[in-house]
Amino acid sequence: MRQCNPRPKDQRKVPIPDELRESLREVREVIDEAERDPDDMPIDFEDAIQVGAICGGWVGGDNRPFEFTYFPAGDRKYGRWFLALHETEIEDIADGVISELTMYCCTSPDCHCKFRDESETCVFCDYEDDSETVSLNQQLAALAQTVNSKKEWVAGYLRIKPDASGVSLIGDYNPIDGLGDRLGWFSTPEAQELIDQLRSESGS
């Protein structure tokens, strides 16, 4: 298991990159389309919106009901931004009205992750692995070097973690350097569908 040991974060105003602004313009278009036809364009789950360098969705709540992860070009693993936004903030960032955001930034020299909420924890900085987790991560890193498709990854992953769900698969897949860029990123329904398909094929 991983033990949480949160480290202090640096609160500062961070300029909005052009890539993030452009991605949120696309997000706004998706939201507009969903409002016109909610049955055809559901956005009410955590990775429903995947456009540009953004992945996220509508999670509810009155203050900031949209949550996104922004994966900056050139630093998609250790440079992620974790954003909770109101729809008006999305519009204002997309339109250039908001040029910077107050973020809570990791202070480790190897991590550049940023969080909108001071209470959030960083998967890279704020957790310590026990020996079992270290062993699992080594197995997953070795698997990543041998696969050439998402299906191959899922098949290998299920050999390591037979009881895995789509959510746990994504949680183990996304942090591996270069894997999502090479094979593509999973949505939760896609991950679960591949798990169910492979279990059916194997009769388990």
Side-chain angles (χ1 to χ4, degrees):
M1 293 180 62
R2 306 194 74 196
Q3 303 297 319
C4 184
N5 183 24
R7 300 181 182 183
K9 293 179 173 58
D10 180 25
Q11 179 185 3
R12 63 178 184 265
K13 292 185 179 296
V14 183
I16 303 292
D18 291 341
E19 180 186 47
L20 175 56
R21 191 180 311 283
E22 181 58 37
S23 295
L24 287 174
R25 289 191 186 111
E26 295 184 57
V27 166
R28 184 173 59 180
E29 293 173 3
V30 172
I31 293 172
D32 290 345
E33 186 174 345
E35 288 175 349
R36 289 192 296 270
D37 192 352
D39 292 332
D40 191 51
M41 180 66 74
I43 59 172
D44 57 346
F45 54 95
E46 62 183 14
D47 54 2
I49 302 175
Q50 299 186 43
V51 294
I54 285 276
C55 178
W58 183 87
V59 297
D62 296 329
N63 190 21
R64 290 172 175 157
F66 289 91
E67 291 185 2
F68 299 102
T69 304
Y70 163 50
F71 300 89
D75 199 6
R76 295 192 183 279
K77 182 175 182 179
Y78 295 107
R80 301 174 195 178
W81 294 31
F82 298 86
L83 298 165
L85 298 168
H86 191 275
E87 188 170 348
T88 57
E89 291 179 302
I90 295 171
E91 293 174 357
D92 286 347
I93 293 171
D95 291 339
V97 175
I98 294 177
S99 61
E100 58 185 16
L101 286 174
T102 298
M103 302 291 288
Y104 295 88
C105 309
C106 290
T107 56
S108 165
D110 298 323
C111 187
H112 314 114
C113 290
K114 300 170 180 61
F115 302 86
R116 194 77 195 275
D117 190 331
E118 184 178 14
S119 66
E120 290 191 70
T121 54
C122 176
V123 68
F124 306 117
C125 299
D126 296 335
Y127 291 85
E128 298 174 352
D129 293 336
D130 60 16
S131 59
E132 182 179 344
T133 304
V134 170
S135 175
L136 171 64
N137 289 340
Q138 290 172 342
Q139 292 179 72
L140 295 178
L143 172 64
Q145 300 300 314
T146 67
V147 297
N148 294 301
S149 69
K150 288 180 176 179
K151 187 172 183 179
E152 287 181 11
W153 163 265
V154 176
Y157 183 77
L158 289 176
R159 288 193 292 272
I160 296 169
K161 296 182 72 170
D163 298 326
S165 66
V167 172
S168 67
L169 184 148
I170 290 172
D172 288 328
Y173 179 92
N174 286 353
I176 298 177
D177 271 333
L179 188 59
D181 290 328
R182 182 163 64 89
L183 302 184
W185 302 97
F186 282 101
S187 67
T188 302
E190 178 190 16
Q192 191 61 55
E193 182 178 345
L194 272 172
I195 288 173
D196 293 343
Q197 176 187 336
L198 286 164
R199 283 178 176 153
S200 177
E201 290 174 0
S202 67
S204 60

